[in-house]
Amino acid sequence: MLAFLKKPVVVTVEINMNLVALTVMGLISRLWGLSYPRAVVFDEVYYGQFVSLYMKRIFFVDDSGPPFGHMLLALGGYLGGFDGNFLWNRIGAEYSMNIPVWSLRLLPALAGALCVPLAYQILVELQSSHCAALGAALLILIENSLITQSKFMLLESILIFFILLAVLSYLKFYNLQRQRSFSGSWWFWLLLTGVACSCAVGVKYMGLFTYMLLLTIAGLHFWHMIGDQNFSNVSLMCHFLARGLALIIIPVAMYLSFFYVHLTLLYRSGPHDQIMTSAFQASLEGGLARITQGQPLEVAYGSQITLRNVLGKPMQCWLHSHTNTYPIRYENGRGSSHQQQVTCYPFKDVNNWWIVKDPGMQQLVVSNPPRPVRHGHIVQLVHGITTRYLNTHDVAAPLSPHSQEVSCYIDYNISMPAQNLWRVEIVNRESDTDVWKTILSEVRFVHVNTSAVLKASRFIGASLPEWGYRQLEVVGEKLSKGFHQSMVWNVEEHRYGKSQEQKEREVELHSPTQMDISKNLSFMAKFTELQWKILTLKNEDTEHKYSSSALDWITMDTNIAYWLHPTSGAQIHLLGNVVTWASANVAALVYACLSLWYLIRRRRQIYDIPEDVWQLWVSAGGICVGGWAVNYLPFFLMEKTLFLYHYLPALTFQILLIPIVLQHLSNHLCRSLLLKSMFSALIIAWFSSVYAVYRTFSPVTYGDPSLSVTELKDLRWKDSWNILIRKQ
């Protein structure tokens, strides 16, 4: 039994020194001078605000994408002991000594550094030579734009890292397909593909492009497997389920987990609350929760309520009235009812309070026990301060003449009777007997006489004139014109009325049994609302000094000034290596032309290259050219402010194509030894020029050393580049 002790235990480890050397060089290039400059650089002013909010656990919404990337940046701040106390108000603001700049920039730098060995590994898995793989890694290593983007608290380097990791993982999984299906390593790389895809999408929605590309490639590979008679039906089903689990179910679950962690961390009320629903706001600590805590859950006859419009655009507002009346005639000559104005007011005010009244009874207090209002019940809404009834009739609204005017009824003893009955319809009900609930129920009020729906006007510039105090218009809209969220309201503040006397009612305060709204809002409800806000919330895109079009990126006709030293000529720009960018474009063109040539020749039954070489050529194009296309072409369809850094994921795929094309030309088009030698000499000269350009632009890549005015002018290789030169 102890025979195994007679021999020593030997562990053999293979170390790829190329990978080790590339990783070390990548770390040096990205981590060197990471704390310089100790000032806010370009979009750090944007992402830094979110890091501070994470540190303070304050809720926020960022319409640029999911929260995973922000959480990674916040992790760097947390590891460095950042407490979130810094005013991110301008680019160039000096960081105080207590700000852990190195830690805040660490994770993007590490991600950028690891892209170098990932590029090497990807080309190895594409069956390229180690020399070609080394060339791809070195091109990534000395690409000025990738270095600049990696050294600051920005998300592109993290996005590119997860994209490359997903591609590498899938290639490793695919190459293990024949020999070791369902082995431990096969499962590892398949699962890692799904995890990396989910992380890429979680950093920025741009990651979705590569995810869809890999799903398409995986689908094509599986389609070929179906035609392979070596696979049984059971085996094919197992392969299908494994791919479905790893590439769809796990990424979706991880994506949800990002939001779960995000919402768990950010439990405090903050400045972004107002765009969320009342139920969401009430689930956060502080803010609305402090007001709504202790409110009755069920709305009853006699309840005193405020009604918030669910749409929240262009701003949140509450149903409101005041003693002023509509003018007898508007500026355009149209007449009004001259009754009490009803508006939507964007601030909390005592005039926002309404009383829910039973039309068959006179009392304005809640009975004991309370009689809850249910879906389909008819109610009257009485304005709390003026005690006039909410009313609409066949009179044109002031700004929306095709809609009905909404007013609080004043009896002028003319032939205009009160029309103040409203049917409560709970939009998000589970059954037709649902009770109207505080915050949770989204309701619309349908006018019994005219079937018009109470609505906050969407009329452009729907602020009333001076006579309406610039408040927002409220109208009665016919149901036939379709449903819109501006027709939906929810009760935000609520108390049970106890006093029948008007003066006592105005000062009435009531503190019923405590009710915690947050327990009634599930994670999926919060996720769905937050996800919808992220996808639909649009900040007004303004023209930025350094914004550009997608056409400008290919030839790098634009740049971005990231930072300028306050006194010297030291500055940092997002500028790429001109030779690399031009070479990438040429490589893509050569690949397209060669592929077309081969296809035409193959159609004529002429095979210039062996079948296995053709398959590798197509696979490399699917990854590199496909990766470039899916990460670049969609920007032509986007209506948003674009910047040069949006092109970096596409550029990375294009750079990987360069050594693949060079190797193919050397192996299959340079037939003689002389041609191969000449081609190798050209490659050495070309790579030397790439390195020379990298060194030339290093001062504006790293921001050091400071350059003179003459040296800065010499760096302006294109008239469209905006190199900053101080006036003497």
Side-chain angles (χ1 to χ4, degrees):
M1 290 181 62
L2 300 178
F4 72 94
L5 294 177
K6 295 179 180 180
K7 294 182 180 180
V9 177
V10 178
V11 178
T12 303
V13 179
E14 289 187 5
I15 299 177
N16 187 330
M17 295 309 296
N18 283 355
L19 271 179
V20 173
L22 288 170
T23 303
V24 171
M25 288 190 292
L27 290 171
I28 292 173
S29 68
R30 270 61 172 179
L31 295 178
W32 180 80
L34 193 60
S35 295
Y36 178 84
R38 285 195 63 87
V40 178
V41 174
F42 199 61
D43 271 354
E44 285 187 338
V45 73
Y46 178 73
Y47 293 113
Q49 298 176 47
F50 301 133
V51 172
S52 288
L53 291 173
Y54 270 116
M55 296 300 104
K56 297 178 179 180
R57 303 293 191 267
I58 295 175
F59 174 77
F60 68 85
V61 179
D62 179 20
D63 65 331
S64 69
F68 183 57
H70 301 78
M71 289 193 290
L72 289 177
L73 296 180
L75 176 62
Y78 174 79
L79 294 175
F82 181 49
D83 59 5
N85 291 319
F86 183 77
L87 185 61
W88 307 88
N89 59 349
R90 64 181 179 87
I91 298 173
E94 292 291 328
Y95 287 122
S96 55
M97 295 308 297
N98 65 319
I99 305 298
V101 180
W102 193 87
S103 179
L104 286 168
R105 295 172 178 171
L106 176 61
L107 290 181
L110 287 177
L114 292 176
C115 288
V116 177
L118 284 177
Y120 175 87
Q121 288 277 73
I122 287 173
L123 260 71
V124 169
E125 294 300 322
L126 286 171
Q127 310 302 315
S128 296
S129 67
H130 284 275
C131 184
L134 187 63
L138 291 176
L139 288 174
I140 298 293
L141 175 70
I142 59 175
E143 170 50 42
N144 299 72
S145 59
L146 294 178
I147 295 173
T148 300
Q149 202 68 15
S150 300
K151 287 178 62 63
F152 304 107
M153 192 171 44
L154 308 170
L155 292 180
E156 275 64 35
S157 63
I158 300 176
L159 171 65
I160 294 170
F161 166 76
F162 283 119
I163 285 175
L164 294 183
L165 180 61
V167 170
L168 173 62
S169 301
Y170 182 79
L171 290 174
K172 281 188 170 290
F173 152 76
Y174 178 72
N175 290 335
L176 287 168
Q177 178 67 44
R178 286 290 182 184
Q179 299 82 14
R180 302 167 61 186
S181 290
F182 299 103
S183 64
S185 56
W186 183 92
W187 274 109
F188 173 79
W189 291 114
L190 177 59
L191 292 172
L192 186 58
T193 302
V195 169
C197 285
S198 181
C199 290
V201 176
V203 171
K204 278 195 168 187
Y205 283 128
M206 287 172 60
L208 189 63
F209 303 146
T210 303
Y211 178 39
M212 298 307 295
L213 173 67
L214 290 178
L215 281 180
T216 302
I217 293 174
L220 290 173
H221 287 163
F222 185 73
W223 180 254
H224 290 306
M225 288 176 62
I226 293 176
D228 191 339
Q229 296 300 318
N230 293 320
F231 292 99
S232 66
N233 291 339
V234 174
S235 177
L236 284 174
M237 181 58 66
C238 291
H239 277 282
F240 177 78
L241 293 176
R243 285 160 173 78
L245 170 68
L247 301 182
I248 297 177
I249 295 176
I250 288 180
V252 170
M254 284 195 62
Y255 184 77
L256 289 172
S257 72
F258 298 150
F259 280 87
Y260 183 84
V261 175
H262 175 75
L263 291 169
T264 301
L265 290 174
L266 306 184
Y267 59 85
R268 290 176 178 160
S269 174
H272 293 193
D273 295 3
Q274 64 179 14
I275 65 172
M276 310 304 290
T277 63
S278 299
F280 196 106
Q281 292 183 52
S283 71
L284 300 172
E285 181 182 293
L288 182 62
R290 289 182 296 181
I291 299 173
T292 59
Q293 191 175 47
Q295 292 186 154
L297 176 60
E298 296 183 347
V299 177
Y301 291 108
S303 285
Q304 299 173 0
I305 62 174
T306 63
L307 290 166
R308 180 181 185 264
N309 190 258
V310 169
L311 180 62
K313 293 180 181 179
M315 63 188 74
Q316 62 177 346
C317 64
W318 291 263
L319 189 67
H320 175 96
S321 186
H322 40 244
T323 55
N324 299 70
T325 59
Y326 290 109
I328 296 176
R329 295 226 171 254
Y330 299 125
E331 291 83 348
N332 58 10
R334 289 191 298 110
S336 78
S337 66
H338 195 47
Q339 293 186 359
Q340 185 170 301
Q341 298 173 17
V342 173
T343 64
C344 206
Y345 189 51
F347 303 99
K348 293 185 181 297
D349 186 85
V350 69
N351 280 311
N352 297 347
W353 284 91
W354 299 80
I355 302 170
V356 181
K357 180 182 175 296
D358 184 345
M361 303 180 69
Q362 291 302 314
Q363 66 182 34
L364 296 178
V365 296
V366 176
S367 60
N368 189 15
R371 292 185 301 123
V373 180
R374 298 181 183 274
H375 170 75
H377 280 193
I378 306 299
V379 301
Q380 292 172 313
L381 293 176
V382 182
H383 188 239
I385 297 299
T386 63
T387 66
R388 298 194 186 279
Y389 289 61
L390 186 70
N391 182 86
T392 188
H393 41 213
D394 191 17
V395 175
L399 300 180
S400 307
H402 297 292
S403 301
Q404 292 180 187
E405 174 194 86
V406 174
S407 64
C408 277
Y409 182 74
I410 302 175
D411 188 0
Y412 288 119
N413 292 319
I414 58 176
S415 57
M416 188 178 285
Q419 300 183 47
N420 52 31
L421 299 179
W422 300 85
R423 183 172 65 254
V424 176
E425 293 187 355
I426 303 175
V427 177
N428 60 340
R429 65 186 181 278
E430 295 180 358
S431 72
D432 287 343
T433 59
D434 272 13
V435 174
W436 184 6
K437 295 183 177 67
T438 305
I439 292 179
L440 303 177
S441 295
E442 296 182 351
V443 303
R444 63 181 179 185
F445 299 96
V446 180
H447 191 237
V448 172
N449 298 74
T450 64
S451 297
V453 181
L454 186 69
K455 173 187 171 185
S457 176
R458 287 190 297 151
F459 182 78
I460 298 174
S463 294
L464 297 169
E466 290 296 336
W467 54 258
Y469 302 102
R470 300 294 178 186
Q471 295 174 17
L472 304 179
E473 182 188 39
V474 171
V475 300
E477 186 74 89
K478 293 292 186 182
L479 269 175
S480 59
K481 294 187 178 181
F483 173 79
H484 191 267
Q485 273 196 312
S486 58
M487 297 177 173
V488 183
W489 307 78
N490 70 268
V491 173
E492 189 169 270
E493 296 178 67
H494 177 208
R495 56 175 174 256
Y496 281 164
K498 287 188 172 182
S499 178
Q500 188 71 28
E501 295 297 324
Q502 176 62 14
K503 289 186 178 180
E504 295 178 12
R505 190 185 305 125
E506 291 180 11
V507 295
E508 184 174 25
L509 294 172
H510 181 61
S511 299
T513 306
Q514 186 171 354
M515 184 272 299
D516 189 357
I517 293 291
S518 63
K519 294 179 181 177
N520 294 287
L521 197 63
S522 66
F523 160 70
M524 285 307 298
K526 295 175 74 174
F527 162 75
T528 303
E529 180 177 344
L530 179 56
Q531 179 66 87
W532 180 250
K533 290 294 182 184
I534 291 173
L535 294 176
T536 59
L537 182 64
K538 290 185 178 180
N539 290 327
E540 291 189 11
D541 289 330
T542 55
E543 193 68 23
H544 192 282
K545 180 179 181 180
Y546 293 106
S547 63
S548 54
S549 70
L551 283 175
D552 296 329
W553 302 342
I554 297 182
T555 53
M556 202 169 61
D557 286 334
T558 182
N559 72 304
I560 304 177
Y562 271 11
W563 172 79
L564 174 66
H565 193 278
T567 56
S568 71
Q571 51 193 278
I572 295 175
H573 289 258
L574 182 65
L575 267 174
N577 190 306
V578 177
V579 177
T580 301
W581 286 50
S583 303
N585 293 330
V586 172
L589 183 62
V590 170
Y591 181 90
C593 292
L594 274 177
S595 297
L596 181 61
W597 171 255
Y598 288 148
L599 282 171
I600 294 173
R601 300 268 289 175
R602 289 170 69 86
R603 188 66 178 167
R604 300 290 297 171
Q605 304 298 314
I606 303 171
Y607 300 96
D608 299 290
I609 55 177
E611 184 62 25
D612 60 332
V613 174
W614 167 251
Q615 292 299 329
L616 292 175
W617 178 254
V618 172
S619 297
I623 293 294
C624 298
V625 178
W628 171 81
V630 299
N631 282 285
Y632 174 57
L633 298 181
F635 286 103
F636 287 96
L637 305 176
M638 294 185 185
E639 296 180 359
K640 60 179 289 185
T641 305
L642 301 177
F643 296 92
L644 182 61
Y645 56 73
H646 286 126
Y647 186 60
L648 296 183
L651 172 72
T652 303
F653 280 103
Q654 214 177 15
I655 290 175
L656 297 181
L657 185 65
I658 297 174
I660 292 173
V661 171
L662 291 177
Q663 178 182 317
H664 185 83
L665 294 176
S666 176
N667 292 346
H668 301 285
L669 296 184
C670 297
R671 306 285 183 177
S672 67
L673 183 61
L674 177 60
L675 281 176
K676 286 182 181 292
S677 299
M678 292 176 62
F679 191 73
S680 298
L682 284 174
I683 290 176
I684 293 172
W686 164 78
F687 192 83
S688 299
S689 67
V690 172
Y691 181 75
V693 172
Y694 158 72
R695 292 293 301 168
T696 300
F697 285 92
S698 287
V700 292
T701 298
Y702 292 96
D704 186 57
S706 176
L707 299 180
S708 65
V709 172
T710 303
E711 290 171 323
L712 288 171
K713 288 181 178 179
D714 290 340
L715 288 181
R716 192 178 182 186
W717 288 11
K718 291 190 175 185
D719 292 338
S720 56
W721 290 359
N722 189 6
I723 304 296
L724 304 178
I725 299 174
R726 295 184 182 279
K727 294 182 180 180
Q728 301 296 321

